[in-house]
């Protein structure tokens, strides 16, 4: 064994329960302590710290979420940890009844898990936060709009020969598109579906007997994929639901900025202007059209000009593209008139990062929505995932459940 240093030890939050704290419930946090040293470490202590001073602004919450702010916090529980093996990890779990925390006012509160040595010297701390919203504490819930993209990267050529056969696995049980459709279908009226024609065309192709070309340009015949067929049937059921809000994005989610820079504006205009009619034909129902999904969340001014000229009146943008705005919907000037941009909430955007442990991501999201309900309930929040997002299914199910029926959001 050895005396650990702060460079050797890190800690994560993988689970945080309950999703909606209330009087009489118990706070439960669990995660993993990681030892990067070449020898085992002993004598570590995990301490749960909490501040009873509420977090008051979104900027402060962002600093805590990013780890830039670590409050001292009062130690409310400490547990000794078993030895952590060299280059290995050790799970931990701390819990305490909420009634012992004396949270008198509704708010979003700071908590942290600190790992220290036997001398009490802190080696590492992971901050987090949680909402404390007793029934009736929020006069009006904040509105949360989930944009729900179901996009597959281009997987076949113009003749419907499959060039990326591995993408068909996304339709299998446990696959990315299977999970997204499954989760969205459980909250069909609680999300705003964004579909594009190429994904449905690719699913149709692989659901039937089709050809696949490999890297050596060898073409083989493949039987239809039953999982792709089942996925299409499920999606058609969703689309047939009158409560489903559906928007069409451009064919194959074009990289608009690159196409304009390469002089392919005509291709971009075609992909954008025809998407609505194609999705309408695929599902036999009208959909919202003239919408642009920027794959990287950003568009330059020449691209915005070209898209607006093509009829695109609505654009989804990353918050980093818009300077100094807290508004979810803004108007951007173009050569062809104003275009409406839907801007994701930056705190919710960070919470969907695949790099975050599930517990930390969950608490960032719930804390951001609760703080908005307390400080600015009249301004809706927009959740705008990455185009080809691959979220943790359990985490996503939890977030959808709370935003749909929690005491501070709807």
């Amino acid at each position: 064994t050895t005396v650990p240093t702060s460079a050797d030890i890190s800690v994560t939050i993988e689970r945080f329960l309950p999703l909606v704290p209330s009087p009489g419930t118990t706070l439960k946090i669990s995660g993993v302590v990681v030892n990067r040293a070449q020898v085992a470490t002993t004598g570590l202590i995990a301490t749960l710290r909490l501040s009873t001073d509420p977090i008051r602004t979104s900027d402060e919450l962002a600093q805590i979420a990013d780890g830039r702010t670590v409050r001292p916090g009062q130690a409310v529980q400490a547990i000794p940890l078993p030895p952590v093996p060299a280059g290995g990890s050790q799970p931990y779990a701390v819990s305490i009844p909420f009634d012992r925390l004396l949270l008198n006012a509704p708010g979003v509160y700071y908590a942290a898990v600190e790992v220290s040595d036997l001398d009490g010297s802190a080696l590492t701390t992971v901050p987090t936060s949680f909402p404390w919203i007793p029934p009736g504490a929020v006069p009006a819930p904040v509105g949360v709009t989930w944009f729900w993209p179901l996009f597959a990267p281009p997987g076949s050529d113009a003749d419907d020969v499959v060039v990326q056969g591995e993408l068909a696995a996304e339709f299998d049980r446990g696959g990315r598109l299977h999970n997204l459709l499954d989760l969205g279908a459980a909250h069909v009226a609680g999300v705003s579906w964004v579909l594009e024609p190429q994904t449905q065309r690719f699913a149709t192709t692989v659901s039937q007997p089709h050809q696949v070309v490999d890297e050596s340009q060898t073409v083989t015949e493949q039987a239809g994929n039953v999982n792709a067929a089942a996925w299409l049937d499920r999606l058609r059921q969703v689309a047939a639901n009158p409560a489903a809000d559906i928007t069409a994005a451009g064919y194959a989610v074009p990289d608009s900025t690159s196409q304009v820079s390469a002089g392919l504006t005509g291709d971009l205009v075609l992909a954008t202007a025809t998407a609505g009619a194609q999705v309408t034909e695929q599902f036999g129902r009208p959909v919202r059209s003239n919408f642009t999904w920027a794959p990287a969340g950003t568009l330059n001014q020449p691209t915005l000009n070209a898209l607006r000229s093509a009829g695109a009146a609505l654009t989804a943008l990353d918050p980093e593209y818009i300077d100094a705005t807290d508004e979810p919907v803004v108007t951007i000037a173009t050569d062809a008139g104003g275009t409406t941009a839907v801007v994701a909430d930056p705190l919710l955007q960070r919470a969907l990062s695949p790099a975050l442990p599930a517990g930390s991501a969950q608490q960032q999201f719930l804390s951001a929505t609760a703080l908005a309900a307390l400080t600015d309930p009249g301004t809706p929040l927009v959740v705008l995932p990455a185009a080809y997002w691959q979220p943790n299914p359990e985490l996503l199910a939890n977030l959808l459940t709370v935003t749909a029926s929690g005491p501070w959001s709807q």
Side-chain angles (χ1 to χ4, degrees), residues 46-66:
T47 301
L48 173 61
R49 293 187 174 275
L50 183 135
S51 171
T52 55
D53 181 26
I55 298 167
R56 304 187 186 281
T57 68
S58 58
D59 286 343
E60 185 182 2
L61 182 59
Q63 291 177 12
I64 291 169
D66 291 345

Side-chain angles (χ1 to χ4, degrees), residues 88-128:
S89 61
Q90 184 68 246
Y92 75 88
V94 291
S95 63
I96 187 170
F98 274 103
D99 292 345
R100 289 177 52 189
L101 300 181
L102 303 178
L103 302 172
N104 297 318
V108 174
Y109 288 88
Y110 173 90
V113 176
E114 173 190 279
V115 177
S116 59
D117 59 23
L118 282 175
D119 296 329
S121 299
L123 300 172
T124 185
T125 301
V126 56
T128 187

Side-chain angles (χ1 to χ4, degrees), residues 152-170:
S156 55
D157 63 18
D159 296 320
D160 290 327
V161 175
V162 174
V163 296
Q164 293 197 57
E166 69 278 3
L167 290 179
E170 296 203 359

Side-chain angles (χ1 to χ4, degrees), residues 195-272:
L195 310 178
E196 59 83 23
Q198 184 274 150
T199 298
Q200 282 65 251
R201 179 173 175 173
F202 176 69
T204 300
T205 296
V206 298
S207 71
Q208 304 167 350
H210 58 279
Q211 293 182 321
V212 178
V213 59
D214 61 21
E215 293 180 355
S216 65
Q217 300 304 304
T218 301
V219 177
T220 58
E221 300 290 334
Q222 296 283 342
N225 185 315
V226 295
N227 292 319
W231 187 87
L232 274 172
D233 287 343
R234 184 81 183 277
L235 183 55
R236 291 188 183 106
Q237 291 173 14
V238 167
N241 189 328
D245 177 73
I246 300 178
T247 298
Y251 190 95
V253 197
D255 185 343
S256 307
T257 300
S258 295
Q259 288 193 330
V260 171
S261 297
L264 301 174
T265 302
D267 292 347
L268 174 62
V269 169
L270 182 64
T272 303

Side-chain angles (χ1 to χ4, degrees), residues 144-162:
V144 180
T145 298
W146 283 85
F147 278 78
W148 205 263
L150 285 183
F151 304 154
S156 55
D157 63 18
D159 296 320
D160 290 327
V161 175
V162 174

Side-chain angles (χ1 to χ4, degrees), residues 284-299:
R285 57 158 289 176
V287 299
R288 188 181 297 107
S289 58
N290 298 323
F291 176 74
T292 300
W293 188 287
T298 59
L299 295 171

Side-chain angles (χ1 to χ4, degrees), residues 19 131 361-371 398-399 402-403 408:
L19 297 175
Q362 170 187 291
Q363 293 312 115
Q364 286 187 30
F365 192 101
L366 298 181
S367 296
T369 54
L371 186 63
N398 288 342
L399 299 183
V402 176
T403 54
W408 63 82

Side-chain angles (χ1 to χ4, degrees), residues 32-37 84-90:
V32 175
V33 176
V34 177
N35 174 24
R36 289 183 291 273
V84 187
S89 61
Q90 184 68 246

